[in-house]
Amino acid sequence: MSVNSTDTVNQDLEPSKSRARTTGIVISVLVTAFLTFDAAGKLAGVPQVKEGTQALGFPPGQALVIGIVLAICVVVYVIPRTAVLGALGITAYLGGAVTTNMRVEAPLFTHTLFAVYLGVLMWVGLVMRRPALLSVVGIRRN
């Protein structure tokens, strides 16, 4: 009898794990879509992107380099086996975005911290897909 009840408990836990994983995938897809759109604008040389890059104090031609770096990080993030490495690269990229916006004294909550919001969302999605990551940072034991 206890074996049956244990199986029932395990079956009850699986749907919540599956929902959490699905939610993590949805969050990751949304973050990836946003970053892909951002990289595509930089890679395509859209005039508004070049103007924005120049307004942040960079030469307009640097938009292409920034787009290449972001695109590489996103591709590495999308591959399941290298997702954590990609997330680290994107985190570094977003840190640069925060610093750049702070330097030009952009509005704090809407511009400067937007990269922080996006980074936190990215990591939440990744952890929901891979709960074992919590043990890596010491939040949960295996």
Side-chain angles (χ1 to χ4, degrees), residues 51-131:
E51 291 168 12
T53 303
Q54 192 167 19
L56 291 171
F58 294 100
Q62 288 296 310
L64 176 63
V65 176
I66 294 168
I68 290 169
V69 169
L70 179 56
I72 290 169
C73 291
V74 169
V75 167
V76 173
Y77 177 69
V78 168
I79 300 168
R81 185 173 221 150
T82 59
V84 174
L85 182 61
L88 290 171
I90 292 169
T91 301
Y93 173 85
L94 294 173
V98 169
T99 303
T100 299
N101 281 300
M102 286 178 68
R103 190 183 64 73
V104 298
E105 298 179 356
L108 180 65
F109 294 106
T110 57
H111 291 65
T112 303
L113 292 180
F114 181 77
V116 174
Y117 308 146
L118 191 63
V120 168
L121 197 59
M122 175 192 64
W123 280 102
V124 165
L126 188 57
V127 166
M128 290 179 82
R129 288 172 23 212
R130 294 182 171 187

Side-chain angles (χ1 to χ4, degrees), residues 12-27:
D12 290 340
L13 291 176
E14 290 304 316
S16 66
K17 286 182 181 178
S18 177
R19 273 182 265 156
R21 187 172 191 290
T22 301
T23 302
I25 290 170
V26 169
I27 291 170

